[in-house]
Amino acid sequence: MFRSEYADVLPVELPIHEAVLGRAAQYGDAPALTDGIDGTTLTYEQLDRFHRRVAAALTEAGVRKGDVLALHSPNTIAFPTAFYAATRAGATVTTVHPLSTAEEFAKQLKDSAARWIVTVSPLLETARRASELAGGVEEIFVCDSAPGHRSLIDMLASTAPEPVVDIDPADDVAVLPYSSGTTGVPKGVMLTHRQIATNLAQLEPAMPSGPGERILAVLPFFHIYGLTALMNAPLRLGATVVVLPRFELDGFLAAIQNHRITGLYVAPPIVLALAKHPAVADYDLSSLQYILSAAAPLDAELAAACSRRLGLPPVGQAYGMTELSPGTHVVPRDAMRDAPPGTVGKLIAGTEMRVLSLADPDKDLGAGESGEIVIRGPQVMKGYLGQPDATAAMIDEDGWLHTGDVGHVDADGWLFVVDRVKELIKYKGFQVAPAELEALLLTHPGIADAAVIGVYNEDDNEVPHAFVVRQPTATGLSEGEVMMYVAERVAPYKRVRRVTFIDDVPRAASGKILRRELRALKEGT
C-alpha cells in the first residue's frame, strides 16, 4: 500500500458554501471574480452577499432541501453565485454541459429528478425543450435576463429571510456531475459536501494559493476539474478568478496578458497551443508562474516544449476522476522543477493507493510494477445515483475505488499512468462513452452493427472512431452520412470523427466487443 507523504487532514464538516466562502469577510473588497472579456468584477463581500440573497429568493420560489437544481451555463462570473446559492438553499446542484442537446439535457433532468434549472439566455431554448421532454421542472431561472423568466439579477433584490437549512455534510449530496465511470453511459456521481470540501483541504498543501494570485478559469466550471481547481479552491483561499466562457486562443492569451495571470490549470490541448502556436509570441505572458495540466494524459515532451518556450518550471500534472471529488495526485508547486518527466504527481494528503496485478487482482504490486490503480480516502464518492450495482462494481467492500487506469509508482512515490483498462474516450478532457455512441448508431436504419473506439488524431486528441456494419439494403451509406447522423444528436465533443465500414464487429463469446481487434484493424489500414 502506498500512502501520502503529507500529514492527514481532518474531514471538513461544513457545507461547501461555508467551506469556500467562510473567509469571504476576511478578504472583503479583494476581487473574487473578474470577467476576462469586459472586466466586470465581484469582490468577496459581493459574492458572499449576492449568493445569500439569491439563496433567499430560491427558497421563496420553493426550492427545498433535497431538491436538485440543474446549472446549465458556460463559465460566467454569475456561475459561482448560482452554485453557492443553490447549496445554501439546501439543493443538490447537477452541472450540465452547456453544449448538450435538449435530448441529452432531458435525460440528465429525468435521471437526477431535477425540479429547477438555472441557465443563460443564449441557452434558454435548449433548456425549455429539455424541460418539456423531461417533465417535472418547476421553473427555469436565468443568470442574465430573458422575458418571462426570473433572473438572478432580479433575485438580488429579494427581501426574503436568508434560509437556514440543516445540512449534514457527511451524507447530503452537494453536487451531482455526470460521469461514465470506467464504462457505459453517464451516471450521476453523488459527491457530498464533506467529500468535495475535504478534497480542497487535501489539495491545499501541495497547491497553495492566496490573495494576489490570479487564476484564469477557461476550463468549464460544470466539469469537476474546473469546479474544484478553478472555482472552489481559489475562492476558498482568497485568490482572484478571471473567467472566460470558452477557449479561444487569442482571447485566452490576451486575458493572461491583460489580467497578469499567475497560474493556469489547463488540459493538454491548451498546452499544445502554448507550445506550438505562433500567436503565443505576440503576447506578454511573463506574469505566469506555473501551469498544471489534468483531465487527460499529457505527453512529457510536449510538456517540456511548453515550459521551455514560456521560460517556466516544467508543466505539472494532476490525476483523479469525477468519482474522486476529483483529486488524488498532483505534482506539488514547489516540486515542479524536480519532478520526473511524465509523472502525474504524488498522493495528496489523507489518500491511500494500491497497484493491483492485472493477471491476479488479489495481488498487490510494488514500486516499478504496473497494474490497476485503486484509491481509498475521504474523497471517494458516495456512489452512483440510483445504481447500487454500478457503485459496488466501482468501490469494493473495503472502500477501495477501482479506477480502471494502469500505472506504476517509482521508488520516490511518483505515479505514472501508462494505459487505461477502461474503454472511455477522453476528447479534450471530456468523457465520451463508446456504449452511448454505439447505441445511437444502431438507431440508424442503414446500420446493422457498430462499435466505437478512441483513436488519436493529428493534434494528439483522442477522438471517436466508429466501425460500422451496413444493412444489406444500405450499400450506399457513406462516412459523411454516418458522421452527420451522430452530429445532429449529440454535443459537439461526442461527435464521431472517423468511420470505417467492416463486415462484422468482432465480439467475444459473451458478446463483448473486442476493441483490441478493432485497434489492430485500424492500425493495419
Side-chain angles (χ1 to χ4, degrees):
M1 189 185 300
F2 300 92
R3 290 186 171 88
S4 175
E5 299 172 5
Y6 293 97
D8 283 353
V9 296
L10 293 173
V12 178
E13 303 289 358
L14 292 171
I16 189 60
H17 44 275
E18 292 292 349
V20 173
L21 297 179
R23 306 176 199 172
Q26 174 185 331
Y27 303 129
D29 291 334
L33 295 152
T34 296
D35 187 305
I37 297 173
D38 68 17
T40 302
T41 294
L42 292 181
T43 67
Y44 273 90
E45 186 277 332
Q46 288 174 316
L47 175 59
D48 188 44
R49 177 161 46 89
F50 289 178
H51 96 275
R52 291 172 186 272
R53 284 294 86 218
V54 175
L58 288 174
T59 301
E60 189 177 37
V63 175
R64 295 291 179 265
K65 180 181 177 180
D67 283 357
V68 176
L69 179 146
L71 184 45
H72 173 237
S73 171
N75 287 9
T76 71
I77 61 171
F79 191 110
T81 296
F83 181 89
Y84 301 127
T87 60
R88 183 171 286 279
T92 294
V93 177
T94 187
T95 50
V96 183
H97 196 308
L99 296 182
S100 292
T101 64
E103 290 75 15
E104 291 168 325
F105 190 178
K107 284 182 184 177
Q108 187 168 335
L109 289 173
K110 288 189 73 172
D111 189 71
S112 64
R115 296 180 58 209
W116 313 91
I117 296 174
V118 173
T119 189
V120 292
S121 56
L123 302 179
L124 189 52
E125 285 307 312
T126 300
R128 285 173 175 160
R129 176 63 180 150
S131 174
E132 291 170 1
L133 291 171
V137 174
E138 302 264 344
E139 187 170 353
I140 300 174
F141 307 100
V142 292
C143 292
D144 43 4
S145 62
H149 293 269
R150 281 195 278 183
S151 77
L152 265 60
I153 298 167
D154 298 331
M155 294 162 84
L156 294 176
S158 171
T159 57
E162 184 179 311
V164 179
V165 181
D166 183 17
I167 292 173
D168 179 354
D171 191 57
D172 291 341
V173 177
V175 61
L176 188 69
Y178 272 67
S179 166
S180 301
T182 55
T183 186
V185 296
K187 298 176 282 292
V189 179
M190 296 187 290
L191 300 177
T192 67
H193 291 265
R194 177 204 274 178
Q195 285 158 354
I196 57 175
T198 302
N199 198 229
L200 299 175
Q202 292 176 290
L203 288 161
E204 184 180 350
M207 295 301 292
S209 187
E213 286 234 25
R214 291 173 295 283
I215 306 300
L216 185 57
V218 68
L219 296 182
F221 289 147
F222 79 82
H223 190 287
I224 192 65
Y225 175 23
L227 192 76
T228 293
L230 299 176
M231 191 177 93
N232 287 333
L235 293 176
R236 176 174 172 265
L237 298 173
T240 299
V241 179
V242 178
V243 181
L244 289 177
R246 69 188 65 82
F247 178 74
E248 180 274 314
L249 184 59
D250 282 305
F252 171 76
L253 296 171
I256 297 173
Q257 173 183 277
N258 297 339
H259 295 280
R260 307 300 293 161
I261 298 300
T262 58
L264 290 179
Y265 292 82
V266 296
I270 297 178
V271 179
L272 176 66
L274 290 170
K276 297 187 176 182
H277 201 284
V280 173
D282 298 333
Y283 295 86
D284 176 8
L285 309 184
S286 61
S287 60
L288 284 177
Q289 297 173 10
Y290 66 94
I291 300 175
L292 188 118
S293 178
L298 177 65
D299 178 73
E301 292 184 10
L302 175 60
C306 178
S307 62
R308 283 195 304 270
R309 187 180 193 190
L310 300 180
L312 291 173
V315 176
Q317 291 197 66
Y319 172 76
M321 59 194 304
T322 306
E323 291 82 351
L324 290 163
S325 300
T328 68
H329 290 73
V330 67
V331 175
R333 276 186 64 177
D334 62 6
M336 285 182 172
R337 293 190 185 278
D338 305 318
T343 182
V344 298
K346 290 189 173 184
L347 281 165
I348 62 172
T351 306
E352 300 172 311
M353 176 179 64
R354 294 160 64 201
V355 179
L356 304 182
S357 167
L358 298 178
D360 179 5
D362 292 327
K363 179 183 178 183
D364 282 89
L365 303 178
E369 298 179 288
S370 289
E372 185 185 7
I373 300 161
V374 300
I375 300 288
R376 187 167 66 183
Q379 68 269 56
V380 171
M381 68 173 177
K382 182 176 181 178
Y384 290 121
L385 177 68
Q387 302 206 34
D389 292 344
T391 302
M394 192 76 166
I395 306 170
D396 67 26
E397 293 178 354
D398 295 318
W400 291 97
L401 184 142
H402 293 247
T403 67
D405 286 321
V406 179
H408 66 267
V409 181
D410 72 9
D412 296 317
W414 297 103
L415 175 64
F416 297 80
V417 178
V418 297
D419 203 352
R420 292 211 299 276
V421 175
K422 57 195 176 189
E423 297 167 344
L424 274 180
I425 300 163
K426 281 203 167 182
Y427 176 67
K428 295 186 177 180
F430 297 123
Q431 296 178 337
V432 183
E436 185 179 6
L437 292 178
E438 287 157 359
L440 176 58
L441 286 163
L442 291 176
T443 65
H444 190 292
I447 295 176
D449 201 359
V452 176
I453 63 170
V455 300
Y456 286 91
N457 65 11
E458 57 275 8
D459 294 326
D460 208 32
N461 289 316
E462 193 178 22
V463 298
H465 183 146
F467 291 82
V468 171
V469 180
R470 295 184 180 99
Q471 293 282 11
T473 55
T475 54
L477 182 66
S478 69
E479 179 181 16
E481 286 175 273
V482 173
M483 290 195 291
M484 182 61 71
Y485 183 79
V486 175
E488 291 174 346
R489 291 164 174 81
V490 299
Y493 70 94
K494 295 182 185 177
R495 292 175 181 170
V496 168
R497 311 288 167 149
R498 298 176 184 173
V499 177
T500 299
F501 292 100
I502 55 177
D503 293 330
D504 295 289
V505 172
R507 297 178 185 273
S510 63
K512 184 177 180 180
I513 296 169
L514 299 175
R515 298 182 198 277
R516 288 191 178 187
E517 291 191 17
L518 292 174
R519 291 190 179 92
L521 176 64
K522 180 257 174 188
E523 291 166 1
T525 57

